[in-house]
Every structure is written in C-alpha cells, then in structure tokens.
Amino acid sequence: MPNEKVLLEKQQYVAELKDKLTNAAAGVLVDYKGITVADDTKLRKELREAGVEYRVVKNTMLRLALKDTPYEEISNVLENTTAIAISNDDPIVAAKIICKYIEGAKSSYAVKAGFADGKPMDKEGVETLSKLPNKEGLVSMLLSVLTGNLRGLAVAIKAIGEKKEEEAGAPAE
C-alpha cells in the first residue's frame, strides 16, 4: 500500500493533468515505442517551439485524468507506451507536427487517438486534422474568397458603367 505522501503526489499529478486536458485546445496521444533518442529530442524541440507540451504519461494516471471529461472514451487506447502532446492555442499544430514526423519515421511510433474542440477523435480523425491548413492558411483562404467576390463585383459594375456610356454616346437614329 502506498504511503500518504506518494498517494497525495499522485492525486495532485492527476488533478494537474486533468486541468491541462480540459483547458487544452487539442491533444494527441501517441505510442512512442521504437523512437530513437535523437528523433525524440528533435520532435520535442519542434513541438516546444510550436507551443505544444509533450510528455510521457502512465496509462493509469491518464485514464484517471480522463475520467469525467468529454474525452473519457479515448481511455480505451491506453495500453503499451503512451505520450501526449497538448496544445493550448492552436488545435491543429500538435497533430500536424506529429503526423509529419510519423510519415518520415522508420519506427513503430504511431498516433493512438486525440481530441480537439471538446470532442474525442480516433487515429483517423487526428490524421485528418493534421491535413487541415493552420490558422494563417485559413485566414488567407477566407481573404482570397472575400476579395474574389469584391473583384467580381467591381468588374460587373465597371461593365455596367461602360454599357451605359455606350448607350448614352450612341447617335440617335
């Protein structure tokens, strides 16, 4: 039986992890088995630079932290080795970096599940999320659509004005 101090530390760890999960924009659970130290260091550096927290977690602790959250159903993938990448701001960045790494990796490193915007996702959902453009890309697309409509309106107004000028300038018969 664990002593009181150890039990209290574990309870605090679970509470902290639960708080991080509920306040996160998104998260990705991965099976990190087979990753080399060099690759892990490179991945952690890239995630850290993008503002993503990445840590290895014990399945039991994560299962307890997921309990009574909207993501509780992803507890069923918690076996073998587990690490979690948590993003507080951008819901796409963690999935994008991890899936990009997996494509180039020669190991059994793999996505288990994830969550974004309060909804749990399976492996395929995380992979789909990773293919979406980031926030800047979406804003760029939106601006392109908006300016395209304005450009079309300007061309139409100009054509109407030119037609009116032709009609006004045409000699009467």
Side-chain angles (χ1 to χ4, degrees):
M1 176 120 186
N3 67 29
E4 286 293 317
K5 183 180 177 189
V6 172
L7 192 58
L8 183 62
E9 287 173 359
K10 287 183 178 184
Q11 287 172 341
Q12 288 174 336
Y13 177 78
V14 168
E16 175 192 321
L17 189 55
K18 185 176 213 157
D19 185 52
K20 285 182 185 284
L21 292 170
T22 54
N23 293 323
V28 179
L29 280 80
V30 295
D31 184 350
Y32 65 88
K33 181 176 44 189
I35 189 171
T36 65
V37 173
D39 287 342
D40 186 51
T41 303
K42 180 179 161 191
L43 177 64
R44 285 176 184 267
K45 181 178 185 278
E46 190 172 348
L47 288 167
R48 191 173 37 255
E49 288 171 354
V52 177
E53 180 183 341
Y54 180 81
R55 68 164 77 169
V56 171
V57 291
K58 290 189 174 197
N59 290 327
T60 305
M61 298 295 172
L62 186 55
R63 190 174 285 115
L64 290 170
L66 287 167
K67 190 173 183 176
D68 300 326
T69 68
Y71 318 123
E72 188 170 5
E73 72 182 62
I74 63 176
S75 294
N76 61 354
V77 300
L78 297 178
E79 358 179 280
N80 301 322
T81 59
T82 304
I84 186 166
I86 300 172
S87 174
N88 291 322
D89 303 319
D90 190 341
I92 298 173
V93 70
K96 190 175 282 296
I97 291 170
I98 288 174
C99 288
K100 180 184 83 172
Y101 171 79
I102 289 172
E103 286 176 13
K106 296 177 181 84
S107 66
S108 56
Y109 190 84
V111 171
K112 289 183 175 186
F115 60 90
D117 294 329
K119 295 181 180 63
M121 295 183 290
D122 58 3
K123 177 182 178 179
E124 290 77 25
V126 173
E127 289 169 351
T128 301
L129 183 67
S130 75
K131 293 179 177 109
L132 292 175
N134 60 11
K135 184 177 178 181
E136 291 79 21
L138 290 172
V139 169
S140 173
M141 288 177 176
L142 176 64
L143 290 174
S144 176
V145 168
L146 291 175
T147 58
N149 289 341
L150 291 174
R151 197 176 313 117
L153 178 63
V155 168
I157 290 173
K158 183 178 179 188
I160 291 171
E162 288 173 354
K163 186 175 179 185
K164 295 265 186 200
E165 285 178 9
E166 285 178 15
E167 290 174 359
E173 294 180 19

